[in-house]
Amino acid sequence: MTATVVWSDALLGYNLGDHPLNPVRVELTMALARELGVLDRPGVELVAPEPATEAELLRVHRRDYLDAVRAAPDDPFFRGYGLNTPDNPVFDHMHESSALVCGATLAAARAVWSGHARRAVNVAGGLHHAMPARAAGFCVYDDPAVAIADLLAQGAERIAYVDVDVHHGDGVQEIFYDDPRVLTVSLHEGPLTLFPGTGYVEETGGPQAEGTAVNVPLPPGTGDRGWLRAFHAVVPSVVRAFRPQLIVLQAGADTHRLDPLANLRLTVDGQRAAQLAVRALADEVCEGRLVATGGGGYALVEVVPRAWTHLLAMVTGEPLDPATALPESWREFAARRVPGRAVPSTLTDGGDTTFTPWQPEAEGDQLDRAIMAARKAVFPLHGLDPHDPRD
């Protein structure tokens, strides 16, 4: 089996009203991928998930927190654990819906770890802000962490988690901060200008796992070329040095210039290039074993369906031509589902994904200073030279 796509319409089963995390973005993604034939490729298996069990959730989350998630929908005045806030409103069947998202990422990870598939994806996942006993940043249960913990329980010794969401992957980092078996790498808008206010270069791992947390905080306004320059200056080197058996990619689409909640300036083309770079790294270091999730992304029509259709294509086989026209039937469907939005006509924004590789003498602007700071913080902990561009 080439790839597993974990999907069920039940993954759309949460209702947050006008909250930014609207499941229509996932609905539109899957509809577009179907119309472009991505889900019908040879060797692609569509798998319906089962909810994560309590035992699986308890590898990451505390029991009292699970009890709170179950109880909160029945109490309109519930407070605590980060629930019933503007970021994390309570909704009916909150535990069941959140457990199903975790179950979908678990199914993807198990398909790859078992050898059943080379790559797998759950576009409804990537809820990376949830903490062991607190909801945060629109996230109730931390599905990437639950999946990683499950793989560790199965005997995995080295897993790399690469997070390209615009927000720092704080929950996953926190959960594995002192675990030398998990490398967490996050490229994100800097913590001085964006939630969650963490992800400084100095966050490099706990006493038992120094060097296994890698953070590359980027200045607001960073676009495709700068983002890719930073990625290639830091991520491949630390991942190669760590030698993971499997890579987990959190592919948030909120780095886009149209995203309403953040300040980076990527195009869909830049996001596609990032996805392909992570796939190439998995091919190089761990025989292609890659588990991908969605994540953030709040330009519901304009960006997310295209970015994650590229993600689905990357996981299931050949990447799609960015110049591909979007089917008129899908464009009409998107206009009906989310009226008043500008519906794109192709898979591309016409972005320029060429970039100049980082060099140590190029420390003149804010981006290159951020790159050097990240390299200085973590490269020596992996036996790498922060000043040597070959490392």
Side-chain angles (χ1 to χ4, degrees):
M1 190 64 60
T2 301
T4 294
V5 177
V6 186
W7 177 251
S8 163
D9 286 345
L11 289 164
L12 304 173
Y14 54 97
N15 181 7
L16 301 178
D18 59 359
H19 190 277
L21 193 74
N22 190 322
V24 73
R25 67 196 187 125
V26 181
E27 179 186 5
L28 292 175
T29 296
M30 296 303 290
L32 180 56
R34 283 195 187 96
E35 292 213 31
L36 292 176
V38 171
L39 305 182
D40 299 324
R41 292 173 164 181
V44 174
E45 180 182 38
L46 207 61
V47 171
E50 295 291 331
T53 66
E54 182 163 295
E56 290 160 350
L57 294 171
L58 285 172
R59 291 195 179 109
V60 165
H61 295 289
R62 283 191 346 212
R63 186 178 297 278
D64 59 323
Y65 177 59
L66 267 61
D67 292 341
V69 172
R70 288 190 177 99
D74 297 326
D75 180 358
F77 302 105
F78 188 93
R79 291 293 183 272
Y81 298 95
L83 297 169
N84 213 2
T85 65
D87 272 7
N88 301 286
V90 169
F91 55 95
D92 290 341
H93 310 294
M94 183 165 61
H95 167 78
E96 292 78 7
S97 295
S98 302
L100 187 63
V101 172
C102 284
T105 303
L106 276 169
R110 288 169 175 171
V112 174
W113 184 248
S114 69
H116 182 72
R118 188 181 185 200
R119 297 184 289 268
V121 59
N122 168 30
V123 292
L127 304 179
H128 58 169
H129 295 306
M131 295 291 179
R134 187 176 81 252
F138 313 160
C139 306
V140 177
Y141 295 149
D142 197 316
D143 62 286
V146 170
I148 291 168
D150 180 76
L151 297 182
L152 296 176
Q154 293 186 56
E157 297 175 345
R158 296 182 309 281
I159 298 172
Y161 170 78
V162 178
D163 191 317
V164 300
D165 196 281
V166 78
H167 301 93
H168 177 227
D170 59 335
V172 182
Q173 176 182 288
E174 175 70 19
I175 289 160
F176 299 109
Y177 199 65
D178 205 29
D179 191 329
R181 299 171 296 175
V182 181
L183 176 74
T184 63
V185 184
S186 179
L187 279 82
H188 48 270
E189 184 179 333
L192 292 178
T193 57
L194 194 67
F195 175 90
T198 56
Y200 291 93
V201 297
E202 293 83 5
E203 299 167 30
T204 58
Q208 306 304 314
E210 291 186 356
T212 61
V214 179
N215 288 290
V216 189
L218 301 172
T222 300
D224 291 334
R225 299 177 71 180
W227 193 100
L228 292 166
R229 177 181 173 92
F231 176 95
H232 287 282
V234 177
V235 180
S237 295
V238 294
V239 171
R240 289 176 186 132
F242 188 71
R243 297 179 298 108
Q245 297 162 293
L246 179 146
I247 293 176
V248 177
L249 167 64
Q250 198 272 18
D254 43 8
T255 53
H256 196 276
R257 63 193 183 193
L258 295 181
D259 196 89
L261 301 185
N263 309 293
L264 296 189
R265 304 293 297 168
L266 272 67
T267 66
V268 167
D269 306 272
Q271 294 173 329
R272 174 182 181 271
Q275 297 163 8
L276 291 173
V278 175
R279 187 178 82 170
L281 196 54
D283 288 344
E284 175 189 344
V285 302
C286 53
E287 300 179 329
R289 288 185 288 271
L290 176 65
V291 177
T293 71
Y298 310 101
L300 305 176
V301 175
E302 304 89 337
V303 176
V304 177
R306 293 185 296 153
W308 290 350
T309 294
H310 281 305
L311 179 69
L312 285 159
M314 176 274 285
V315 168
T316 58
E318 289 300 311
L320 290 170
D321 183 345
T324 300
L326 302 189
E328 195 59 35
S329 55
W330 181 85
R331 299 186 73 232
E332 292 171 357
F333 174 62
R336 290 195 306 272
R337 290 293 290 115
V338 191
R341 297 293 186 97
V343 181
S345 58
T346 71
L347 282 175
T348 184
D349 289 326
D352 181 2
T353 59
T354 62
F355 65 95
T356 303
W358 175 84
Q359 293 293 327
E361 62 273 13
E363 294 188 52
D365 65 14
Q366 193 175 1
L367 174 66
D368 283 319
R369 290 196 296 272
I371 291 171
M372 179 56 94
R375 288 173 63 101
K376 284 182 176 179
V378 77
F379 270 38
L381 299 173
H382 290 275
L384 302 171
D385 184 349
H387 299 279
D388 189 339
R390 294 170 298 179
D391 280 358

